[in-house]
Amino acid sequence: MIHRESNQLIIGPYFIRADGTVRACDVKNKLIGRMTAVARHLTDPANRVYFYDMEGAVYEVNVHTLDVKRLFEKPVAGWHGKGGYTAQGRLVIANNGESAAIKKKYNYLAGEDAKDPEDAGILAEWDGTTWRVIERRQFTDVTGPGGIGGAPDDAAPLWAMGWDKRSVILKLLDGGQWSTFRVPKGSYTFDPKHGWFTEWPRIREVTGGRWLMVMHGQMFDFPPTFSRGNTAGLRPICTHLRYIPDFCAWGDKLVLAADDTSVMQNPLAGTSQSNLQFTKLDALKTFGPATGWGGVWLNDAVKADTPSDPFLLAGYPCRVLHLAHHNAGPVVFTVELDKKGDGHWSEWKKIEVPAKGYVFEIFPPDLKAEWVRLRPNRDVVVSAFFHMSAPRASEPGEDAMFKSLAADGWREMTIRPDDKGNLQVLAGPDAYEVDERLQFRPTEPDRLLAARTAAAPTVKTETDAASLVLTDARGNRWRLPKSGAVMFDDATRYRTLREVQSERYLANWHGTFYEVPRTLELRQIKPIATHRRAISDFCTWRGLMVLAGNVAGAGDGHCFASANGQCALWFGAVDDLWRLGKPVGQGGPWAGTAVKAGKPSDPYLMTGFDRKSVALSHDGTESVNFTIEVDVHLHGWYKYQTIAVSPGQTVMHRFPEGYNAHWVRVTADRDCAATAIFQYE
């Protein structure tokens, strides 16, 4: 925070004057805890500020004397304190978890311990007298158009970000009234209820009046004018792999902080690894494609004629709405648009969903509107979920930076950051250490025993005639496309899974990189890029993405080798991986597989791929009906379509442009040997 009256920068417990003098609060005896927010004072802003601690305490500090007074030990429920900000006569604080850091019973002044399965985290406000819960959900940043300077006046709006099982939540406080908006998630890796895996989504000005919002794996242009009657301008820029705890402008650069490899339950790293990335604002569009998913309702009971929260529509040319309900009769949903972000809603169309049915609606790419909302014509238990995407802004020849990575010819290599800042490399029988100057030094293999024997996280993988098969800890099977190269069938020849960004995994499965939650909840994975290269290991080290395998000097500017030329590695940034090529592949749940009537296939991944089709056939002597079902929100299956296939016939079905779901599966209505192969181009 910049305290404008005293002209001091406050960062952590430190107060820094304009002349460079640094003073610190007494953190051993008075300002105790892990401070996560500093906010302007409600009644004496010229002389005092509030501090908010990750464990929940609220302090008051005199900016001149640094005297500290604890106002509240823990006033509200929830854990893992995050943002705090003062606006419109109230202090607003957020936390994003439900896993207690301290085993103690507290007498909360607002909220209570979780009673509902969805209770996690909190957004709460204090007017100087009374604490009040705004929402019992997981929230992170709280800020406003004054940014780190605090609210410019008492009328300035306040923004807060959070999430629930449906989507990202964007809260607006304006004119003393709270409003809720919903935005797609770009990743499921941030979702756990303990809140530890969100360090630290923010809304922040970066340069020249331009603001960014970073949340759940997506970056957005955020309009600093966001207020009641003026909510236009929020636009997705990209998805990203980098775990970004903070960001700012520095000169003409955008600086991205990071939480790369950690040592938490990770023997593949001798010490934690992170660094700053200096890039350009315009370079963000070359990160991952702006894709995401989220909903306004997820098996929720909704009253007739009650409008949903607004959901972001602008900025995504490919948009599909999935609607499903449990009522015994049909339900009509009115789709309404806020075309200008001025709060004026107009009807776009009505969609009738049959009894206990499912329908999807693809929005035309040329339909212009900021927000969309839905309204049912009767009481209903309903899910309304969107999948949104925009093509990545690829550059011609961008994969030339990977020219040194061969597409065939395995070379056994293992890499591991050690506990002294070096990178350990085992290349067959030879061993090397790489220092901060990217100089390779031969060493004795025995010294690198930890690199060879460190236990890595594992997921059981196998390849059959149809696809790649993953089996999770509960014995559930999940299928992924093959990349088209048989060299990847034997997954023992290369590293398939490790942490490269803190608290989530990167997987290298059959020539495609995937993002995988730390929980190894395989239903939540998404593809990153299909590379089809002989990559035997990978890691992050000193802020760099490192790829090992069949690497040879090829003038791509990213290959560095030992003096004898016998060992080489590729170095770059983690979000360079998107440049390897969009996810593609072929496979499915069945390839001449003996199937039983009415028994669904294994789930097969659909999200993150475009230009999708499926070929269906069987060996029966009678027509077989293949029912295709989709899981769009990881909470159940919906019937997409039933396709009749005659004996000896192969039926090709192409999914509509813009259609997407997370998983797909197939069921046949007769015993037969069936084939269902999906092509993702």
Side-chain angles (χ1 to χ4, degrees):
M1 175 185 183
I2 296 175
H3 186 256
R4 51 182 177 263
E5 289 87 351
S6 66
N7 199 26
Q8 294 183 90
L9 170 65
I10 307 172
I11 182 168
Y14 301 102
F15 287 68
I16 306 173
R17 291 174 173 152
D19 64 3
T21 302
V22 179
R23 301 178 299 150
C25 293
D26 182 351
V27 296
K28 292 184 177 180
N29 303 298
K30 295 183 177 180
L31 191 66
I32 301 171
R34 298 178 288 173
M35 301 303 137
T36 62
V38 184
R40 291 182 62 79
H41 201 273
L42 287 172
T43 59
D44 189 13
N47 300 300
R48 290 179 285 177
V49 294
Y50 298 119
F51 275 76
Y52 179 42
D53 164 44
M54 187 172 287
E55 272 61 67
V58 177
Y59 296 87
E60 178 184 84
V61 178
N62 187 298
V63 302
H64 308 294
T65 66
L66 303 193
D67 287 341
V68 177
K69 178 182 179 181
R70 191 179 75 181
L71 300 179
F72 303 99
E73 183 182 16
K74 184 168 173 53
V76 299
W79 286 92
H80 210 229
K82 282 287 189 268
Y85 208 77
T86 305
Q88 301 170 51
R90 65 200 80 187
L91 170 66
V92 180
I93 62 173
N95 65 52
N96 72 331
E98 205 57 34
S99 182
I102 301 172
K103 302 302 180 184
K104 178 180 177 180
K105 181 65 177 176
Y106 290 91
N107 295 315
Y108 304 126
L109 301 179
E112 58 183 351
D113 289 331
K115 303 294 185 185
D116 183 272
E118 284 200 68
D119 286 349
I122 206 165
L123 184 69
E125 65 179 21
W126 179 57
D127 62 5
T129 302
T130 304
W131 283 96
R132 186 168 73 93
V133 175
I134 305 305
E135 194 161 356
R136 190 71 164 87
R137 294 293 181 264
Q138 295 168 274
F139 282 85
T140 56
D141 200 24
V142 187
T143 189
I148 63 173
D153 54 59
D154 291 339
L158 176 145
W159 314 308
M161 292 193 306
W163 79 93
D164 61 13
K165 66 181 182 180
R166 297 159 192 82
S167 68
V168 167
I169 301 170
L170 176 60
K171 301 289 280 193
L172 168 66
L173 174 65
D174 197 2
Q177 297 182 21
W178 285 97
S179 303
T180 301
F181 300 82
R182 290 187 174 271
V183 179
K185 296 177 181 179
S187 170
Y188 281 120
T189 63
F190 299 83
D191 271 10
K193 290 182 69 173
H194 51 61
W196 304 338
F197 296 171
T198 45
E199 306 285 0
W200 179 330
R202 300 177 189 268
I203 299 172
R204 169 166 288 187
E205 184 178 11
V206 285
T207 184
R210 187 173 177 183
W211 290 60
L212 294 181
M213 180 174 94
V214 177
M215 186 66 173
H216 259 63
Q218 274 196 99
M219 288 186 176
F220 298 83
D221 271 313
F222 186 86
T225 54
F226 194 87
S227 55
R228 287 178 64 196
N230 188 12
T231 60
L234 182 63
R235 294 292 185 273
I237 301 171
C238 65
T239 49
H240 57 92
L241 295 174
R242 190 177 183 87
Y243 194 7
I244 303 174
D246 206 351
F247 56 92
C248 70
W250 186 66
D252 65 345
K253 302 289 188 182
L254 175 66
V255 185
L256 304 177
D259 282 343
D260 289 343
T261 301
S262 72
V263 293
M264 183 179 71
Q265 301 171 345
N266 182 19
L268 291 178
T271 189
S272 296
Q273 303 289 321
S274 285
N275 212 331
L276 301 176
Q277 180 177 357
F278 295 81
T279 186
K280 297 275 192 176
L281 269 169
D282 287 346
L284 296 180
K285 65 180 183 292
T286 66
F287 283 25
T291 59
W293 48 80
V296 292
W297 299 315
L298 187 49
N299 295 320
D300 291 315
V302 181
K303 292 293 185 181
D305 205 39
T306 301
S308 71
D309 295 330
F311 195 88
L312 183 65
L313 192 68
Y316 298 99
C318 297
R319 304 162 292 195
V320 58
L321 165 64
H322 302 276
L323 271 171
H325 70 84
H326 302 286
N327 280 28
V331 179
V332 176
F333 295 87
T334 300
V335 181
E336 298 176 336
L337 303 176
D338 181 351
K339 294 183 178 180
K340 297 181 179 179
D342 57 8
H344 291 91
W345 293 90
S346 59
E347 179 180 326
W348 177 55
K349 71 185 308 181
K350 285 181 165 55
I351 301 173
E352 181 172 318
V353 183
K356 298 182 179 180
Y358 158 79
V359 300
F360 66 88
E361 181 71 32
I362 296 175
F363 292 82
D366 59 355
L367 178 66
K368 304 296 184 185
E370 296 291 322
W371 302 92
V372 60
R373 72 181 186 185
L374 307 173
R375 190 189 298 265
N377 72 335
R378 61 186 61 195
D379 294 357
V380 63
V381 176
V382 59
S383 294
F385 209 79
F386 297 86
H387 278 247
M388 323 287 261
S389 63
R392 181 179 161 272
S394 59
E395 299 174 339
E398 64 180 7
D399 63 344
M401 67 189 305
F402 301 100
K403 190 164 54 174
S404 58
L405 293 168
D408 55 21
W410 286 112
R411 185 173 188 202
E412 180 184 350
M413 294 186 74
T414 302
I415 53 178
R416 176 182 182 268
D418 69 12
D419 59 357
K420 299 179 178 62
N422 295 323
L423 182 66
Q424 300 174 327
V425 185
L426 285 170
D430 301 321
Y432 299 84
E433 290 181 337
V434 184
D435 64 21
E436 72 279 5
R437 297 169 299 152
L438 302 185
Q439 299 295 308
F440 289 65
R441 182 177 66 253
T443 188
E444 293 298 321
D446 288 349
R447 292 192 58 212
L448 305 191
L449 185 62
R452 190 187 302 276
T453 60
T458 59
V459 170
K460 181 183 177 182
T461 65
E462 57 184 307
T463 304
D464 63 17
S467 58
L468 178 69
V469 186
L470 310 179
T471 304
D472 65 23
R474 296 184 293 273
N476 300 314
R477 288 156 55 94
W478 309 87
R479 289 181 175 267
L480 309 181
K482 297 180 183 180
S483 65
V486 297
M487 62 182 284
F488 298 110
D489 286 355
D490 182 4
T492 64
R493 304 188 67 176
Y494 54 95
R495 173 92 62 194
T496 58
L497 190 72
R498 80 184 295 169
E499 180 186 274
V500 299
Q501 298 295 296
S502 183
E503 299 158 349
R504 59 262 299 132
Y505 294 125
L506 184 70
N508 180 22
W509 285 322
H510 215 281
T512 295
F513 281 122
Y514 294 84
E515 180 188 67
V516 181
R518 179 62 175 257
T519 57
L520 292 179
E521 188 65 56
L522 297 182
R523 71 174 65 242
Q524 297 178 337
I525 68 174
K526 73 171 188 179
I528 303 304
T530 296
H531 58 80
R532 299 193 181 103
R533 288 170 166 84
I535 298 171
S536 56
D537 205 354
F538 53 93
C539 73
T540 45
W541 170 71
R542 292 181 174 268
L544 296 172
M545 184 74 206
V546 187
L547 303 178
N550 193 354
V551 183
D556 60 13
H558 292 264
C559 176
F560 292 81
S562 60
N564 61 12
Q566 297 302 304
C567 180
L569 298 170
W570 184 95
F571 297 87
V574 66
D575 282 295
D576 288 338
L577 296 181
W578 304 98
R579 298 170 179 260
L580 281 162
K582 73 174 186 177
V584 295
Q586 178 178 298
W590 298 332
T593 305
V595 302
K596 292 292 185 181
K599 183 177 180 180
S601 71
D602 295 332
Y604 184 78
L605 189 64
M606 178 178 273
T607 194
F609 299 95
D610 62 5
R611 299 177 61 191
K612 298 176 283 289
S613 62
V614 60
L616 303 170
S617 62
H618 63 88
D619 70 346
T621 58
E622 299 180 80
S623 181
V624 175
N625 292 317
F626 289 78
T627 297
I628 300 173
E629 296 177 296
V630 292
D631 182 353
V632 303
H633 46 46
L634 311 187
H635 286 80
W637 294 92
Y638 302 134
K639 177 182 173 182
Y640 166 80
Q641 190 171 325
T642 296
I643 299 173
V645 181
S646 300
Q649 181 186 25
T650 296
V651 174
M652 177 74 69
H653 173 76
R654 182 167 292 278
F655 292 86
E657 190 74 23
Y659 186 86
N660 213 339
H662 215 100
W663 295 91
V664 62
R665 71 182 185 184
V666 185
T667 304
D669 69 346
R670 295 181 182 275
D671 292 359
C672 61
T675 295
I677 295 295
F678 291 79
Q679 185 75 40
Y680 297 153
E681 302 174 273

